[in-house]
């Protein structure tokens, strides 16, 4: 695929960033786009590797046909490239921005640390498609007379809605918040993905007949049983929103917060929404002029770091209980799978102090106000090492250690024991449904995305939404032409 000798002749290049000193002054995206010619050259590096692990189960959850659209871009056929990309991925402009790119880890050229710039090419294809007018509504040419309700408008719900709408079903999406998008809109900062990329997909989907109902908390404002009575099938895509319990003493101090309310609040500010309308985010959480500590080493923690810098934090320290990973992995031991190695996010590169193999013992404070975070070193079993305790000054602390399943109020509480749940290896409580039929233990109720599989990547949510759409279409019609 691509140019046969491209990987030998062309160096790997990816999007460059605005300098950290510039980008922390705003909440907009800060990548510097490459020219079409530069992108075509990067696509030319895709080699005829024989077994393209990039788009297999080890690389891309939605099975993007990466060598094919790299070849199309190399040959300048951008319209066919977006058609190919859309055949497996409803929202490539999202994944091209925020996916960690396991496809690049699985690339054969990664054995030499120079994988094809797949993520950069994917984003370029999606953006070019909009500029050239290749993206438009594709309404179904027939209707089935079947009605499907989808609870939640995150990546899984949106993907399922678009697929089912194109199959000819009448689709209604119910969203608790004032605007659709779920985690994409309210959890991920604008500096990683600006929200107009969500808005234009909503506009496309409305043109395809999908109806969005915002400000409806299903299971609280509107019973699920009512949805089941009004529709032929209901798909639950409520996400994984329950914060994982940290059990850290001192969490009651003023200045200690879970990560997600902080991120949601700032996203509402940037989007011009009223933060007072959300009970748990009524008090403004701002990092300006403060010493900030973020507990956790994942993407949510990194988003807190970047948000704090943009709000004017004096210092940001990130605590990770895991040991410092090696700078490079042993390729022959782990390739083509995702490797544990030292990775620095764009937010961390903006000046965060990172502490590894450190446990958070307690939050300390005076007169009910946070003043510091007491920590210690841990051994390889994550047990505290005596005599290694230290205190980090903190005016603000965020707990970002993950999520343990969908909220208990709403769908789960309405059905109680009728809706079976499972506990996964991370002790998350998820809705019981397999990844073939996506059916729950409640008749005509399906589940997909993080509510079913536990917290995961946006690209996995898109895959689950697409597969659930295929399963629902088959359930309603006896067979389906939707891709799975």
């Amino acid at each position: 695929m691509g140019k046969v000798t491209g990987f030998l002749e062309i160096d790997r290049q990816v999007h460059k960033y605005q300098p950290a000193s510039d980008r922390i002054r705003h909440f907009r995206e800060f990548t510097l786009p490459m020219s079409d010619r530069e992108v075509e050259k990067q696509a030319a590096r895709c080699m005829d590797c024989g077994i393209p692990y990039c788009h297999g189960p080890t690389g891309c959850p939605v099975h993007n046909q990466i060598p094919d659209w790299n070849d199309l871009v190399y040959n300048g056929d951008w319209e066919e490239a977006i058609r190919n990309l859309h055949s497996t991925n409803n929202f490539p402009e999202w994944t091209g921005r925020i996916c960690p790119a396991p496809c690049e880890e699985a690339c054969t050229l990664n054995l030499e640390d120079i994988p094809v710039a797949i993520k950069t090419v994917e984003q370029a294809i999606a953006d070019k498609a909009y500029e050239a007018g290749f993206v438009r509504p594709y309404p179904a040419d027939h209707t089935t007379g079947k009605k499907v309700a989808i609870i939640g408008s995150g990546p899984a719900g949106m993907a399922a809605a678009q697929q089912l709408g194109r199959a000819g079903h009448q689709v209604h999406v119910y969203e608790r918040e004032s605007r659709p998008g779920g985690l994409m809109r309210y959890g991920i900062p604008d500096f990683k993905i600006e929200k107009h990329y969500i808005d234009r997909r909503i506009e496309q989907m409305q043109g395809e007949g999908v109806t969005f109902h915002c400000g409806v908390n299903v299971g609280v404002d509107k019973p699920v049983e009512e949805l089941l009575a009004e529709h032929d099938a209901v798909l639950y895509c409520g996400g994984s929103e329950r914060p994982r319990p940290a059990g850290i003493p001192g969490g009651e101090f003023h200045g200690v917060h879970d990560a997600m309310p902080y991120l949601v609040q700032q996203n509402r500010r940037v989007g011009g929404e009223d933060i007072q309308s959300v009970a748990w985010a009524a008090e403004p959480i701002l990092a300006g002029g403060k010493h900030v500590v973020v507990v956790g080493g994942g993407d949510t923690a990194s988003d807190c770091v970047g948000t704090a810098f943009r709000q004017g934090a004096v210092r940001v320290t990130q605590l990770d209980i895991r040991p410092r990973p090696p700078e490079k992995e042993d390729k022959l031991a782990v390739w083509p799978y995702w490797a544990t190695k030292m990775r620095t996010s764009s937010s961390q590169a903006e000046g965060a102090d990172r502490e590894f193999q450190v446990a958070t013992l307690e939050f300390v404070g005076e007169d009910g106000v946070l003043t510091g975070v007491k920590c210690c070193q841990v051994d390889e079993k994550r047990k505290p090492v005596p005599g290694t305790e230290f205190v980090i000054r903190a005016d603000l602390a965020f707990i970002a250690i993950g999520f343990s399943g969908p909220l208990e109020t709403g769908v789960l509480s309405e059905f109680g024991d009728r809706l079976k749940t499972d506990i996964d290896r991370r002790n998350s409580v998820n809705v019981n449904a397999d990844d073939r039929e996506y059916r729950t233990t409640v008749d005509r109720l399906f589940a997909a995305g993080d509510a079913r599989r536990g917290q995961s990547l946006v690209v996995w949510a898109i895959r689950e939404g697409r597969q659930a759409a295929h399963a629902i279409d088959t359930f309603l019609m006896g067979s389906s032409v939707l891709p799975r």
Side-chain angles (χ1 to χ4, degrees):
M1 307 303 295
K3 187 178 181 181
V4 176
T5 57
F7 70 98
L8 297 172
E9 301 170 10
I10 303 168
D11 292 335
R12 169 182 161 91
Q13 289 186 354
V14 297
H15 286 148
K16 292 182 171 59
Y17 295 155
Q18 292 177 357
S21 58
D22 293 338
R23 66 182 189 247
I24 63 170
R25 300 176 186 276
H26 60 79
F27 278 88
R28 301 184 304 276
E29 290 184 15
F30 49 80
T31 54
L32 304 176
M34 296 166 63
S35 69
D36 291 354
R37 181 64 189 129
E38 290 172 323
V39 175
E40 289 168 2
K41 287 174 65 178
Q42 290 306 303
R45 297 185 65 246
C46 190
M47 61 190 296
D48 189 5
C49 57
I51 301 178
Y53 288 100
C54 59
H55 69 75
T58 56
C60 182
V62 293
H63 299 282
N64 280 339
Q65 299 170 97
I66 294 163
D68 299 76
W69 44 255
N70 270 325
D71 184 60
L72 290 165
V73 169
Y74 164 59
N75 286 291
D77 194 347
W78 292 80
E79 184 172 8
E80 186 60 31
I82 189 61
R83 189 176 293 115
N84 185 297
L85 184 48
H86 272 152
S87 71
T88 57
N89 184 354
N90 297 67
F91 315 118
E93 68 274 23
W94 301 359
T95 52
R97 283 172 166 80
I98 60 174
C99 184
C103 52
E104 293 190 15
E105 290 290 305
C107 178
T108 301
L109 286 174
N110 190 39
L111 288 168
E112 297 293 329
D113 289 315
I114 51 170
V116 174
I118 300 169
K119 181 176 175 179
T120 294
V121 177
E122 179 179 29
Q123 179 182 335
I125 295 172
D127 291 348
K128 176 78 169 180
Y130 272 99
E131 294 170 10
F134 299 150
V135 180
R136 59 175 180 81
Y138 291 92
D141 55 10
H142 70 282
T143 57
T144 64
K146 303 291 186 179
K147 291 179 64 178
V148 181
I150 296 176
I151 304 169
S153 65
M158 292 267 282
Q162 185 163 61
Q163 294 296 97
L164 288 166
R166 289 175 174 177
H169 305 306
Q170 187 181 139
V171 181
H172 293 264
V173 180
Y174 292 84
E175 169 57 47
R176 179 190 63 202
E177 303 296 339
S178 58
R179 298 176 185 175
L183 175 73
M184 289 291 304
R185 183 180 297 278
Y186 293 104
I188 299 175
D190 281 62
F191 57 80
K192 289 178 71 173
I193 180 168
E194 294 179 9
K195 303 311 182 263
H196 61 85
Y197 294 109
I198 302 171
D199 294 335
R200 65 189 188 184
R201 282 296 180 184
I202 293 166
E203 184 179 349
Q204 180 196 31
M205 292 169 65
Q206 288 172 330
E208 295 170 349
V210 176
T211 303
F212 290 88
H213 306 268
C214 294
V216 181
N217 191 351
V218 175
V220 178
D221 304 328
K222 185 180 181 69
V224 188
E225 290 284 16
E226 193 173 308
L227 284 184
L228 287 167
E230 297 170 349
H231 298 81
D232 298 289
V234 176
L235 174 62
Y236 177 43
C237 297
S240 182
E241 297 185 271
R242 193 185 324 145
R244 194 173 297 281
I248 303 172
E252 73 282 359
F253 283 121
H254 186 272
V256 180
H257 304 272
D258 285 319
M260 197 50 68
Y262 174 57
L263 296 175
V264 170
Q265 190 183 102
Q266 183 56 38
N267 281 342
R268 285 182 175 276
R269 281 196 197 94
V270 174
E273 296 189 58
D274 181 13
I275 66 168
Q276 303 295 329
S277 63
V278 184
W280 45 258
E283 177 192 350
I285 310 171
L286 296 167
K290 296 180 179 179
H291 288 72
V292 179
V293 172
V294 181
V295 180
D299 291 337
T300 302
S302 181
D303 291 345
C304 288
V305 170
T307 300
F309 277 131
R310 283 159 180 76
Q311 290 183 345
V314 173
R315 182 180 181 184
V316 181
T317 305
Q318 186 176 358
L319 307 179
D320 195 333
I321 198 169
R322 299 169 297 184
R324 184 183 181 92
E327 292 296 326
K328 289 186 63 175
E329 73 273 32
D330 181 350
K331 300 288 187 184
L332 296 182
V334 298
W335 181 85
Y337 298 98
W338 184 261
T340 298
K341 62 182 176 182
M342 188 64 180
R343 303 174 192 271
T344 301
S345 72
S346 59
S347 293
Q348 291 164 342
E350 290 162 2
D353 296 322
R354 302 173 70 184
E355 297 280 353
F356 290 96
Q357 211 161 342
V358 165
T360 305
L361 298 178
E362 65 174 316
F363 299 109
V364 296
E366 296 177 4
D367 301 323
V369 178
L370 178 73
T371 59
V373 180
K374 185 178 181 180
C375 312
C376 73
Q377 298 291 324
V378 297
D379 59 22
E380 55 276 358
K381 294 183 178 179
R382 300 188 177 183
K383 300 296 183 183
V385 176
T388 63
E389 296 84 0
F390 60 98
V391 176
I392 301 173
R393 177 182 170 182
D395 309 301
L396 199 57
F398 299 112
I399 303 171
I401 59 173
F403 304 90
S404 59
L407 294 176
E408 294 174 325
T409 57
V411 176
L412 266 62
S413 59
E414 178 177 337
F415 287 109
D417 293 340
R418 286 178 58 199
L419 183 60
K420 185 178 178 182
T421 57
D422 292 324
I423 299 177
D424 65 18
R425 59 184 178 83
R426 295 177 292 184
N427 290 320
S428 295
V429 180
N430 308 315
V431 176
N432 175 270
D434 65 32
D435 62 357
R436 296 295 301 180
E437 296 185 343
Y438 288 88
R439 297 176 68 170
T440 72
T441 50
V442 175
D443 186 39
R444 295 187 293 111
L445 179 65
F446 298 74
D450 288 4
R452 189 203 73 84
R453 66 175 287 114
Q455 70 172 82
S456 190
L457 304 175
V458 166
V459 69
W460 272 106
I462 294 172
R463 168 179 170 152
E464 295 233 334
R466 289 172 61 88
Q467 290 188 336
H470 179 278
I472 292 171
D473 190 36
T474 301
F475 169 76
L476 296 175
M477 308 303 294
S479 62
S480 179
V481 295
L482 292 175
R484 189 180 185 281

